[in-house]
Amino acid sequence: MSETPPDSASPAAERRYDVVVIGSGPAAGTVVSGLKDSGKRVAAVDRRRFGGTCALRGCNPKKVLLNAAKVVDAARRSHGVMVEGGNTVDIDWPRLHAFQTSFTDPVPPSRVDQFREAGADCFAGNARFTAADTLVVEPWDVPGGDVPAGDVPGGEVPAGEGGAAPITLRFEQVVIATGSIPVPIDVPGKERLTLSDQFLDVADVPERIVFIGGGYISLEFAHALLRADREVTILEATPHILDPFDHVLADRLADRTRGLGARIECGVKLTAIEDAPDGSLIAVAERENGADGETLRISCDAVVHGAGRTPAVESLACDAAGIDCDEQGVTVTDELVSTSNSRVFAAGDCAGLGHPMLTPVAEAHGDAVVQAILTGTPAAPNVSPLPSAAFTEPELAAVGLTAKEAEEQGVAFDLLEADIGTKGALRKRCEPCAGYRLLLEPKTGKLLGAHLLGPDMAELINLFAVAMKHGLTLADLVAVPLTYPSLAAEILQDAFDQAEQSASTGASKAGLS
């Protein structure tokens, strides 16, 4: 706990802490909880409502929308085959939004309570470094949930409440866990862009939406909106959606998404957002194929930013503390220690190690920082193998190397792949869009990578992550009695049969071309 502070209304108010944590998402939460009972004086600072992006503006609320899409999609796929009336099932977006907020609204007070129970003081406002061991928490004037500086009032962080004067915090160590923000898109009309977290705040959604970027943010939103019968367009600058997922399966998912009614344009770049005479918008894009590039003009009601995120460190004034940063975030050692200020750790999306911006990574970073603070011996976080998923419907999931990555790194592999949409487990679900691609070490049969497309693959990929973690072979997995009939049993047996056939023919790469 902190020592008794001076009058916090004074501009010179100062408090001293052993550890200050900037942020309140999964990395920050892991650090604060991990320092409970350590005897250290801890403070937590966030410029927005406590809880972080994942819980409030990202994964968790978006998953509520996608669960609705899953229900609707299953009903529609089954219409005329297993059920009647499935094609009339639709998403009630205002009701769905209300259900979504039932998960997000309790987060800020709960997170503040969690931090305080761990012995941390909580401050609402923007942190700005003023020296190598000092930062100021000051008012933040951006609307939409940001808050002024001061102690968090009443366990909540509503806009317009809290102390109005800057507060100085001195620290022995500081953990920068500020997460990420959308990558700036600098085109004429950029002020008309809707950010993904703003989109989650909308109680109802317009009829025509253009998504900029073809990553998981855009695809997941698109799959919810398509089941709500909205008109969706996705503009992606690269040749494939969902890079760096396996391109073969990602392309199959793109075809499935087009089949749901989406327009997907790859190899195009947004150049402007214009107002239309009727009050709607026009997204202007150029097809990037040289001097003869085609101009696309797409009428819509909203243009949503889904073109990636960047570390949220710019507002921290890191230079004042001698903290080096680059486009990947805070420049750190493999052990998450700043290379230029040894008092400083960075964790999660803003740690400049190039790790994926995923919640399990942030939590692993937080664990490593806690151990370094408690023991004085920094250690690298354990973030491999790392499964990931796009929660579309069907889902695309991955762990380990893709075939492209293996080839680029010169890693030998056997490839096992199949379209399983006509096989029993998927046919019973009326889902033809399903497949797998497995990469095996040629001599040992150990898994190098697993890539799955189909319903519930975000769950099944965890089996392959465990296998990779413990160095299991495909034969080891097949030897385990699994529930039957199930997707896991069907995929593993199909892949094992392929491997056996490949071994008998002496092929260097098993499977389909």
Side-chain angles (χ1 to χ4, degrees):
M1 294 296 292
S2 68
E3 57 194 28
T4 303
D7 180 6
S8 62
S10 167
E14 179 177 302
R15 302 188 184 187
R16 296 179 180 271
Y17 292 93
D18 296 308
V19 181
V20 173
V21 181
I22 310 175
S24 63
T30 301
V31 173
V32 171
S33 297
L35 295 179
K36 182 179 181 180
D37 300 325
S38 68
K40 293 185 178 293
R41 295 165 298 173
V42 179
V45 183
D46 204 327
R47 71 181 182 90
R48 305 190 71 172
R49 292 171 65 85
F50 272 54
T53 296
C54 185
L56 293 174
R57 302 176 291 276
C59 321
N60 286 328
K62 190 166 50 179
K63 194 64 164 64
V64 177
L65 308 183
L66 292 162
N67 285 342
K70 184 186 289 285
V71 171
V72 171
D73 190 67
R76 292 179 177 180
R77 289 197 321 264
S78 304
H79 172 73
V81 179
M82 294 189 289
V83 301
E84 287 298 328
N87 59 344
T88 66
V89 177
D90 198 4
I91 290 177
D92 182 334
W93 202 278
R95 186 172 294 176
L96 175 60
H97 180 264
F99 185 51
Q100 170 202 309
T101 60
S102 74
F103 292 91
T104 54
D105 285 351
V107 170
S110 174
R111 186 61 55 89
V112 171
D113 287 345
Q114 172 195 342
F115 280 17
R116 286 178 168 162
E117 288 171 4
D121 292 338
C122 296
F123 296 92
N126 184 49
R128 176 177 57 84
F129 288 104
T130 56
D133 65 347
T134 308
L135 59 83
V136 170
V137 184
E138 56 190 6
W140 190 263
D141 296 328
V142 176
D146 293 309
V147 294
D151 281 307
V152 178
E156 298 201 37
V157 196
E161 296 185 22
I167 296 173
T168 297
L169 306 182
R170 291 192 181 273
F171 53 82
E172 295 298 320
Q173 295 173 300
V174 65
V175 182
I176 301 175
T178 45
S180 59
I181 57 176
V183 171
I185 296 180
D186 190 14
V187 298
K190 61 185 178 182
E191 67 278 2
R192 300 177 180 87
L193 272 172
T194 299
L195 302 183
S196 57
D197 53 343
Q198 295 170 324
F199 194 73
L200 282 165
D201 288 336
V202 177
D204 201 357
V205 288
E207 291 299 319
R208 302 170 301 169
I209 303 99
V210 170
F211 288 96
I212 308 306
Y216 68 90
I217 294 174
S218 294
L219 264 294
E220 289 174 350
F221 274 132
H223 273 246
L225 291 164
L226 289 165
R227 273 66 179 215
D229 299 322
R230 298 315 197 259
E231 185 178 308
V232 172
T233 300
I234 297 171
L235 304 179
E236 167 56 40
T238 70
H240 303 273
I241 64 166
L242 290 171
D243 193 48
F245 283 90
D246 178 271
H247 288 168
V248 172
L249 296 183
D251 287 347
R252 286 196 62 193
L253 180 59
D255 289 341
R256 172 79 163 99
T257 308
R258 290 186 178 99
L260 294 169
R263 176 181 179 182
I264 300 177
E265 297 285 352
C266 292
V268 300
K269 184 176 181 180
L270 180 76
T271 56
I273 305 172
E274 300 174 355
D275 288 319
D278 63 358
S280 62
L281 299 175
I282 299 173
V284 184
E286 298 288 339
R287 194 174 300 281
E288 296 186 320
N289 59 351
D292 298 327
E294 173 190 3
T295 298
L296 306 178
R297 297 179 61 84
I298 303 166
S299 298
C300 58
D301 302 304
V303 181
V304 180
H305 187 319
R309 298 176 69 84
T310 190
V313 296
E314 186 173 350
S315 68
L316 297 176
C318 288
D319 286 349
I323 304 169
D324 290 344
C325 299
D326 59 22
E327 66 278 359
Q328 286 192 315
V330 179
T331 306
V332 293
T333 67
D334 289 342
E335 294 77 29
L336 302 171
V337 181
S338 166
T339 57
S340 56
N341 183 340
S342 60
R343 296 176 181 268
V344 178
F345 294 89
D349 294 357
C350 60
L353 291 180
H355 291 165
M357 293 182 177
L358 299 172
T359 294
V361 171
E363 292 171 340
H365 284 190
D367 285 333
V369 169
V370 168
Q371 292 307 307
I373 292 173
L374 294 179
T375 66
T377 304
N382 183 4
V383 295
S384 181
L386 181 67
S388 61
F391 288 96
T392 49
E393 186 59 30
E395 296 170 346
L396 182 59
V399 64
L401 294 173
T402 64
K404 178 184 178 183
E405 289 169 338
E407 289 169 351
E408 290 173 346
Q409 297 174 25
V411 176
F413 64 94
D414 288 341
L415 176 64
L416 307 173
E417 64 177 329
D419 178 344
I420 57 174
T422 59
K423 294 187 179 294
L426 276 303
R427 188 177 169 215
K428 291 181 180 73
R429 298 186 184 209
C430 302
E431 176 53 87
C433 184
Y436 68 82
R437 283 162 63 87
L438 305 181
L439 279 68
L440 305 183
E441 196 172 69
K443 292 184 179 180
T444 67
K446 290 181 180 179
L447 283 161
L448 298 172
H451 308 275
L452 311 175
L453 174 65
D456 300 324
M457 294 303 189
E459 293 290 346
L460 182 53
I461 198 66
N462 294 314
L463 172 65
F464 291 92
V466 171
M468 290 183 64
K469 177 71 173 178
H470 296 285
L472 301 182
T473 67
L474 182 60
D476 292 329
L477 289 175
V478 172
V480 177
L482 300 177
T483 57
Y484 181 86
S486 67
L487 274 173
E490 194 161 271
I491 289 174
L492 288 174
Q493 189 61 56
D494 187 88
F496 185 74
D497 291 344
Q498 275 198 63
E500 290 281 278
Q501 182 179 1
S502 176
S504 67
T505 60
S508 60
K509 289 187 179 182
L512 308 175
S513 59

